[in-house]
Amino acid sequence: MAKHDTDLSLLFHALADPTRRSMLTKLAETPVSVTDLAGPTGLRLPTVMRHLSVLEEAGLITTAKDGRVRTCAIVPEALVPARTWLDEQRALWEAQLNRLDAFVMQAMKGREE
């Protein structure tokens, strides 16, 4: 039975949207105000706030308010569960492909004899 981690689901949901991935790319450089994040998207502020809410719920960003300015910062360690899951999946698929390769090579060797 597959293991369903709620945090992992939230993480992949947050990463599924190109606008949110673009925001994370920008935040990887430096913390940025919400207004500065909204500018390049062409989206209205309430829409940007919903995207940021999804990122924050997944633990990918933190926000802090200083006066009227809300600043967002990335939380890089939040990607560790996704990386771990992907590494596990990669190991499983590589093992399956290695077994398939061995089977095909054995079958080809059997035909030659």
Side-chain angles (χ1 to χ4, degrees):
M1 188 75 174
K3 178 170 75 155
H4 296 287
D5 187 346
T6 303
D7 294 337
L8 195 57
S9 296
L10 288 173
L11 187 58
F12 280 118
H13 169 69
L15 294 172
D17 186 273
T19 300
R20 292 192 286 267
R21 289 193 307 270
S22 175
M23 289 175 173
L24 287 172
T25 300
K26 179 71 174 166
L27 290 172
E29 298 169 9
T30 185
V32 178
S33 72
V34 171
T35 306
D36 290 340
L37 275 176
T41 67
L43 301 172
R44 293 178 180 252
L45 203 52
T47 304
V48 170
M49 292 302 292
R50 283 193 295 274
H51 281 296
L52 293 175
S53 173
V54 170
L55 291 171
E56 195 166 22
E57 184 180 352
L60 289 166
I61 66 166
T62 59
T63 61
K65 192 167 185 180
D66 184 22
R68 295 183 62 166
V69 177
R70 180 169 295 278
T71 303
C72 302
I74 194 167
V75 180
E77 58 272 12
L79 291 169
V80 170
R83 174 75 186 247
T84 301
W85 185 84
L86 289 169
D87 287 345
E88 290 169 358
Q89 296 305 306
R90 181 180 182 168
L92 288 172
W93 279 100
E94 284 178 349
Q96 289 179 359
L97 289 172
N98 288 340
R99 285 192 301 273
L100 176 62
D101 184 50
F103 173 78
V104 169
M105 295 305 270
Q106 187 65 31
M108 289 175 63
K109 189 185 276 187
R111 280 187 154 177
E112 291 173 359
E113 295 173 356

